[in-house]
Amino acid sequence: MNEESRPADAPADPPEVPPDGGDAADGTHPPYAERVLDVADLIPPGRVMTYGDVAEWLDEGGPRQVGRVMALYGGAVPWWRVVRADGVPLPGHERDALGHYRAEGTPLRTPGGSATGHPRIDVRRARWDGRPTDAPAHPT
């Protein structure tokens, strides 16, 4: 859909993420991927943002686009801090992620509700809202 035919209140097209994960010729990532990775770098230790939180914070894309960026390029940033909304650790990377969560003091829930038998992140308690960690929770 081009800009002229899009209704004024329609959402923008999702950002482009290469299907093959290829970097640009100069070795940089696509602009949207760079923005997602920058947000992941900002998340403080012991805190998390969901894929949807990152998209909302950027006001661009959605959870699937953020997940694709993290799958293709997330190895160079604290990938374990960008999580599924249900708090289940990234399949196939549970041990690594749980090691990071424990080292950083990320709030976890017991494995009772997880089909994998691994603890889940307590997203309600661990979620970071994007404010600097020294900012007050509520403006006075």
Side-chain angles (χ1 to χ4, degrees), residues 64-81:
R64 290 179 187 259
Q65 287 81 19
V66 171
R68 180 81 174 144
V69 167
M70 294 303 295
L72 295 173
Y73 310 112
V77 298
W79 53 267
W80 58 91
R81 296 182 192 152

Side-chain angles (χ1 to χ4, degrees), residues 40-114:
D41 266 336
L42 292 173
I43 303 169
R47 306 300 295 274
V48 300
M49 289 180 95
T50 67
Y51 298 115
D53 291 341
V54 172
E56 185 177 335
W57 197 82
L58 289 171
D59 197 28
E60 183 177 10
R64 290 179 187 259
Q65 287 81 19
V66 171
R68 180 81 174 144
V69 167
M70 294 303 295
L72 295 173
Y73 310 112
V77 298
W79 53 267
W80 58 91
R81 296 182 192 152
V82 182
V83 302
R84 293 172 28 166
D86 63 3
V88 173
L90 184 63
H93 299 277
E94 296 92 347
R95 286 182 95 123
D96 290 339
L98 288 168
H100 289 294
Y101 299 142
R102 289 183 175 121
E104 295 181 357
T106 306
L108 299 173
R109 295 172 50 199
T110 58
S114 172

